């Protein structure tokens, strides 16, 4: 393995890891039975899969029997909060052996910094002794394959798209129906949520609910604006729609990534204008927004506290359980330059520390867990859900039918919105750079200070720019 221990240890410490580096004693490879059914050749093997606690992993964990019956392979799943996962993965990669053969490879905190610790999946895909990916790589949604699976090299693939959470406009359909004519008369425009609405109109709608619908809802809007990764996500939608960006060539830096993004551009007039609007919007939002991440704002919407919010589309399943038929979905509003919907998808990868047979067994799990059949099962799951990352699944008649109520696959109620959000000119992709975790911390720390009034939008953007330039200037040892 060519990933330097120094690089991984430094990365682990940058995320706050304090555990000691694992020992480097040898361990035995998985068994292999030559010939016969290629799905049964690693019968008796055990795989460890480390994942963030996400919808598809919850669904798979609740229904692993089909994979075990198909392959004879046992799978143990460990789920952690993302920052803890990053620490554990970094240390495992540095150990020289794979405690976790299968890795939930967040594009920004795992793939970009530790790409050399992951297997280029073109190898197992071309191995005649291993099953092929059904539909091949071409069946994955192209923007997602690049964002979640590639880094710099346009050919190499280090992860298969596994989940696809995307931020969209979630709103109380019943309240908009009730007040639409009155709002339109008072505001002078059709308030129906959609990609043609502007952020300024979103602000006016939120303020209208604050002032005119207090018997039905406490606040017009709420946000995931805690000093946390969630704040960066929420803000970025506005930033991009105002024409601001983190670096030059932002779409390319977000889609394929780079080790040298150049100077930070958050000090631009467009970025500052976006920050000024965001600060103003949060000024009329539910004050608890600064204590919420995505779970908090999602719970507030479901409890009837909010009329609308931007949030990850996969909350649709929970929304339908709590308020069936009352919440609907649309792309986020547009700004002066365009619209952007933050993509938070992640791929599933294989540790490069795996031994040859372990690697083959892990490939079987990747093929199975991302297959159209498994993605359809996950979509129907009561335990999790998730949304497919394969084009073919969306074309299935039962999946298309589920886009409308009554729906047995409630996440599909967001399909029209996310289809628009995933278009190359609308998908929001944060910078895929090895040092993003540290840059992200600088972003949400200063944004939080801005929202509490400790600094102005202009000062916050300039402070982030200065700090990010320092981080990037240190570079990353490949």
């Amino acid at each position: 393995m060519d990933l330097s221990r120094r690089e991984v240890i430094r990365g682990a410490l940058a995320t706050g890891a304090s555990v000691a580096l694992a020992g480097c004693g040898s361990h035995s490879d998985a068994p292999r039975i030559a010939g016969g059914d290629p799905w049964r050749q690693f019968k008796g093997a055990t795989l460890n899969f480390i994942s963030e606690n996400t919808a598809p992993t919850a669904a798979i964990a609740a229904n692993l029997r089909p994979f075990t019956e198909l392959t004879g392979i046992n799978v143990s799943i460990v789920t952690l909060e993302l920052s803890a996962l990053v620490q554990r993965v970094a240390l495992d990669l540095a150990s020289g052996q794979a405690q976790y053969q299968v890795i939930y490879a967040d594009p920004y905190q795992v793939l970009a910094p530790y790409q050399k610790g992951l297997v280029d999946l073109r190898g197992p895909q071309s191995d005649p002794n291993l099953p092929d990916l059904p539909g091949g790589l071409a069946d994955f949604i192209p923007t997602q394959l690049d964002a979640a699976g590639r880094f710099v090299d346009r050919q190499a693939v280090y992860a298969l798209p596994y989940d696809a959470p995307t931020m969209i406009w979630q709103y109380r359909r019943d309240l908009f129906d009730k007040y639409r004519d009155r709002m339109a008369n008072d505001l002078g425009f059709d308030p129906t949520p959609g990609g043609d609405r502007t952020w300024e109109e979103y602000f006016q709608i939120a303020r209208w609910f604050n002032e005119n619908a207090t018997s039905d809802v406490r606040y017009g809007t709420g946000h995931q604006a805690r000093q946390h990764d969630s704040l960066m996500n929420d803000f970025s939608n506005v930033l991009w729609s105002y024409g601001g960006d983190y670096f030059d060539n932002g779409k390319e830096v977000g889609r394929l990534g780079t080790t040298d993004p150049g100077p930070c551009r958050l000090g631009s007039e467009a970025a500052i204008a976006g920050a000024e609007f965001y600060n103003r919007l949060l000024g009329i939002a539910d004050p608890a927004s600064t204590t919420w991440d995505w779970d908090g704002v999602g719970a507030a919407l479901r409890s009837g506290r909010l009329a609308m919010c931007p949030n990850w589309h996969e909350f649709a399943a929970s929304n339908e359980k709590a308020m069936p038929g009352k919440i609907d979905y649309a792309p986020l509003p547009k700004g002066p330059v365009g619209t952007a919907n933050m993509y938070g998808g992640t791929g599933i990868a294989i540790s490069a520390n795996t031994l040859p047979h372990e690697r083959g067994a892990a490939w079987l799990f990747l093929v199975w867990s991302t297959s159209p059949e498994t993605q359809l099962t996950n979509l129907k799951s009561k335990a999790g859900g998730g949304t497919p990352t394969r084009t073919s699944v969306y074309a299935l008649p039962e999946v298309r039918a589920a886009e409308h109520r009554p729906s047995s696959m409630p996440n599909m109620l967001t399909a029209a919105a996310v289809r628009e959000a995933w278009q190359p000119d609308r998908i929001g992709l944060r910078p895929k750079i090895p040092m993003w975790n540290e840059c992200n911390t600088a972003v949400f720390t200063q944004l939080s200070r801005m929202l509490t009034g400790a600094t102005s939008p202009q000062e916050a953007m300039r402070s982030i720019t200065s700090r990010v330039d320092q981080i990037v200037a240190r570079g990353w040892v490949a």
Side-chain angles (χ1 to χ4, degrees):
M1 160 167 180
D2 58 359
L3 181 68
S4 76
R5 289 166 60 90
R6 180 166 64 93
E7 175 188 354
V8 178
I9 295 168
R10 184 180 73 173
L13 294 176
T15 64
S18 59
V19 251
L21 185 67
C24 295
S26 61
H27 69 282
S28 300
D29 198 357
R32 180 173 184 265
I33 304 168
D37 183 351
W39 283 97
R40 303 287 293 179
Q41 62 185 303
F42 304 110
K43 178 182 177 182
T46 295
L47 295 174
N48 294 318
F49 172 30
I50 186 167
S51 174
E52 188 179 7
N53 188 14
T54 64
T57 298
I60 283 173
N63 193 32
L64 272 169
R65 180 178 293 179
F67 178 73
T68 301
E69 291 178 346
L70 174 67
T71 65
I73 298 170
N74 295 307
V75 181
S76 176
I77 299 178
V78 175
T79 58
L80 298 171
E81 186 273 332
L82 182 58
S83 62
L85 175 144
V86 173
Q87 295 169 15
R88 191 82 63 88
V89 167
L91 293 167
D92 194 51
L93 293 177
S95 74
Q97 56 182 287
Q99 179 182 353
Y100 305 104
Q101 294 85 8
V102 182
I103 296 170
Y104 180 86
D106 180 86
Y108 315 97
Q109 299 190 46
V110 174
L111 174 57
Y114 306 125
Q115 159 258 319
K116 290 187 177 180
L118 305 176
V119 170
D120 182 347
L121 300 177
R122 292 177 298 175
Q125 167 70 347
S126 64
D127 188 333
N129 297 311
L130 296 173
D132 289 333
L133 281 168
L137 292 172
D139 192 32
F140 292 103
I141 295 167
T143 50
Q144 296 180 20
L145 180 61
D146 285 349
R150 292 190 164 104
F151 183 64
V152 181
D153 186 337
R154 292 179 178 273
Q155 303 303 316
V157 177
Y158 300 102
L160 300 180
Y162 178 70
D163 63 7
T166 303
M167 291 189 75
I168 56 174
W169 188 346
Q170 306 190 17
Y171 63 95
R172 286 284 300 278
R173 176 184 178 182
D174 57 332
L175 297 184
F176 274 80
D177 286 346
K178 177 178 179 178
Y179 291 111
R180 179 173 290 106
D181 291 344
R182 187 177 160 193
M183 275 197 287
N185 184 64
D186 290 350
L187 297 174
F189 60 86
D190 180 359
T192 304
D196 290 333
R197 297 276 69 77
T198 67
W199 276 111
E200 185 60 43
E201 289 171 340
Y202 183 99
F203 176 94
Q204 293 180 49
I205 293 168
R207 186 170 58 186
W208 190 95
F209 273 109
N210 288 353
E211 296 172 352
N212 298 281
T214 53
S215 62
D216 286 315
V217 69
R218 292 180 64 182
Y219 295 97
T221 188
H223 294 263
Q224 46 185 273
R226 173 184 155 201
Q227 186 173 323
H228 179 269
D229 177 61
S230 56
L231 175 53
M232 177 278 301
N233 285 298
D234 197 61
F235 165 72
S236 294
N237 298 309
V238 172
L239 169 73
W240 291 319
S241 73
Y242 270 72
D245 213 330
Y246 291 94
F247 301 99
D248 290 334
N249 304 312
K251 287 192 178 294
E252 186 75 3
V253 172
R255 186 160 178 166
L256 282 175
T258 181
T259 57
D260 182 14
C264 179
R265 298 305 187 193
L266 288 180
S268 70
E269 290 184 8
I272 292 170
E276 288 172 342
F277 172 80
Y278 187 74
N279 193 46
R280 187 160 59 92
L281 176 61
L282 269 289
I284 64 162
D286 189 322
S289 294
T290 55
T291 69
W292 290 337
D293 60 10
W294 38 80
D295 288 324
V297 74
L301 181 66
R302 292 192 301 274
S303 72
R305 183 178 174 117
L306 307 174
M308 59 185 184
C309 67
N311 205 357
W312 302 105
H313 82 278
E314 290 181 343
F315 277 85
S318 299
N319 293 343
E320 284 299 296
K321 287 181 182 178
M323 305 184 79
K326 292 186 176 181
I327 298 177
D328 225 332
Y329 310 94
L332 288 173
K334 63 183 179 181
V337 171
T339 184
N341 301 260
M342 172 66 84
Y343 165 79
T346 290
I348 185 172
I350 300 173
S351 169
N353 286 334
T354 51
L355 297 170
H357 299 167
E358 280 186 331
R359 189 169 299 192
W363 173 252
L364 296 188
F365 184 75
L366 262 65
V367 172
W368 175 82
S369 63
T370 64
S371 69
E373 293 78 11
T374 300
Q375 292 199 351
L376 178 60
T377 300
N378 290 351
L379 191 55
K380 298 176 179 178
S381 174
K382 304 293 185 186
T387 37
T389 58
R390 287 178 169 274
T391 303
S392 62
V393 179
Y394 290 94
L396 295 172
E398 65 178 307
V399 174
R400 294 195 70 86
E403 294 182 20
H404 308 283
R405 292 183 175 92
S407 176
S408 61
M409 309 174 199
N411 280 340
M412 287 307 300
L413 296 172
T414 68
V418 295
R419 263 196 293 269
E420 287 191 48
W422 290 336
Q423 294 302 310
D425 62 335
R426 292 189 172 206
I427 193 168
L429 299 170
R430 75 200 80 174
K432 191 161 60 174
I433 58 175
M435 60 290 285
W436 174 246
N437 190 43
E438 199 173 352
C439 294
N440 186 21
T441 300
V443 171
F444 64 66
T445 299
Q446 289 302 319
L447 287 174
S448 183
R449 294 186 73 241
M450 176 187 79
L451 296 179
T452 60
T455 189
S456 70
Q458 185 178 65
E459 291 168 337
M461 291 298 99
R462 289 178 176 170
S463 179
I464 296 169
T465 300
S466 176
R467 178 64 184 138
V468 168
D469 281 341
Q470 292 174 3
I471 295 166
V472 170
R474 294 204 306 263
W476 184 266
V477 179

